[in-house]
Amino acid sequence: MLENKRGIIYVISDSLGETGELVAKAGKIQFNTSISDIKRFPFVLEKEQIDEILYEAKEDNSIVVYTLVVPEMKEYMRNKCDEYGIPAIDVIGPVIDALRLMTKKEPLYEAGLNRRLDADYFKKVEAIEFAVKYDDGKDSRGIKKADVILLGISRTSKTPLSMYLAHKNVKVANIPLVPEVDPPKELFEPIKGKIIGLTNDPDKLNHIRIERLKALGLDYTANYANMERILNELDYAEKLFHKLRCPVINVSTKAIEETASIVLSIIREGEQL
């Protein structure tokens, strides 16, 4: 008998169906094991798809939770559920109706608007992937492709700044500066991007590096945190910045957002030249 079968919730959506599934889960949790499953059917845009799903649902002890916005599809869903005797819940319809009364405007009735991806989204994703690929000097070829090339010794906020700028759709490559390692030759060749140096105060670098070593369980008296070593690295970086004639930002008293704002200003100034 159907009444002895554990129930199944069918979630049907013209988008991903996440909203309907969350509502179904919120209801299901109140009934312990009485409901066996939630089946989600995303991107249901044709009546034939509704037919196929409900043909299966009518054989189960089921209810339908749906998030459809196109009126014709909603009506078809209601009629079919009535025909098969399947209880159906329109999750988003009452919200749209209430908003229509409040705004005195007609909704767009377009499926999947909350998931529509615009060009800006793809630019952001591309910039984030770029920042990851060309982080910490992994591949110097990124210098030729980047909008901004950040140079600095260890613990000058190169990586967090790169990721923050990536979320502003800026492609960033960052290069660590080490006195014993020659800088990439691409820095001295014609490039489209803007080279920017990052520096920090010696005392702050000393403190940050000691804490970093402690966090890694390493000897905090190692050469990495030695003040003489830090001063040597800063001197090396300063000479390279001078050679490249690039702007330099001291990050010692600046939040990432503030440093990023300065970088964006430098980019805009360069575009106006």
Side-chain angles (χ1 to χ4, degrees):
M1 298 289 292
L2 283 178
E3 55 268 27
N4 293 326
K5 293 177 64 177
R6 294 170 67 200
I8 296 177
I9 303 175
Y10 282 69
V11 176
I12 301 173
S13 174
D14 51 25
S15 186
L16 291 177
E18 292 174 328
T19 301
E21 185 173 24
L22 284 171
V23 171
K25 285 180 176 178
K28 175 186 174 184
I29 201 170
Q30 300 296 325
F31 294 88
N32 297 321
T33 59
S34 301
I35 300 167
S36 64
D37 197 10
I38 295 175
K39 294 184 178 181
R40 177 160 53 136
F41 298 86
F43 304 114
V44 176
L45 303 172
E46 303 291 339
K47 293 177 182 178
E48 290 77 9
Q49 292 172 277
I50 292 177
D51 289 339
E52 292 175 4
I53 298 166
L54 294 186
Y55 185 80
E56 175 186 334
K58 72 183 181 68
E59 301 299 322
D60 293 319
N61 180 26
S62 67
I63 67 168
V64 168
V65 173
Y66 62 94
T67 54
L68 303 174
V69 297
V70 179
E72 183 182 357
M73 292 290 285
K74 288 173 61 174
E75 183 180 5
Y76 190 82
M77 174 70 76
R78 283 194 299 267
N79 292 338
K80 269 296 180 184
C81 284
D82 287 344
E83 179 184 336
Y84 290 143
I86 304 172
I89 300 95
D90 178 5
V91 172
I92 201 169
V95 178
I96 291 177
D97 291 342
L99 289 173
R100 183 176 58 202
L101 291 172
M102 182 183 74
T103 63
K104 304 296 189 294
K105 293 181 179 180
E106 284 298 308
L108 296 173
Y109 293 124
E110 293 181 31
L113 282 180
N114 61 324
R115 289 291 173 178
R116 186 163 293 173
L117 305 180
D118 58 17
D120 188 65
Y121 174 86
F122 288 110
K123 285 181 181 178
K124 183 179 295 186
V125 170
E126 186 179 359
I128 292 171
E129 290 176 345
F130 189 96
V132 172
K133 183 175 182 179
Y134 297 110
D135 178 47
D136 206 30
K138 291 175 185 173
D139 187 344
S140 63
R141 291 176 296 181
I143 294 171
K144 293 280 190 178
K145 306 173 185 177
D147 300 317
V148 173
I149 302 94
L150 300 177
L151 306 180
I153 64 174
S154 177
R155 316 323 290 178
T156 50
S157 303
K158 297 185 298 299
T159 295
L161 181 57
S162 295
M163 295 308 300
Y164 186 92
L165 289 168
H167 281 83
K168 300 292 184 182
N169 300 350
V170 180
K171 292 183 179 179
V172 184
N174 76 73
I175 308 294
L177 299 181
V178 183
E180 293 79 13
V181 180
D182 291 334
K185 60 181 177 57
E186 289 87 353
L187 290 174
F188 304 97
E189 298 173 355
I191 55 175
K192 68 167 187 173
K194 188 72 176 178
I195 299 174
I196 297 175
L198 301 176
T199 191
N200 207 335
D201 289 344
D203 290 336
K204 188 162 186 179
L205 277 172
N206 176 249
H207 175 74
I208 292 172
R209 290 189 178 189
I210 287 175
E211 292 304 313
R212 176 63 174 165
L213 289 171
K214 287 180 180 178
L216 294 173
L218 301 175
D219 181 5
Y220 64 87
T221 63
N223 191 44
Y224 175 70
N226 179 273
M227 182 59 81
E228 184 178 350
R229 168 68 186 186
I230 290 171
L231 292 172
N232 183 38
E233 289 183 30
L234 287 171
D235 182 63
Y236 168 76
E238 184 180 348
K239 288 177 180 177
L240 180 61
F241 297 154
H242 181 73
K243 187 175 183 180
L244 293 169
R245 297 182 179 179
C246 66
V248 180
I249 304 172
N250 189 321
V251 302
S252 60
T253 60
K254 295 178 177 64
I256 292 296
E257 295 85 352
E258 186 179 357
T259 306
S261 179
I262 296 172
V263 171
L264 293 172
S265 296
I266 292 172
I267 296 173
R268 285 193 292 268
E269 290 172 5
E271 290 173 347
Q272 292 169 3
L273 294 178

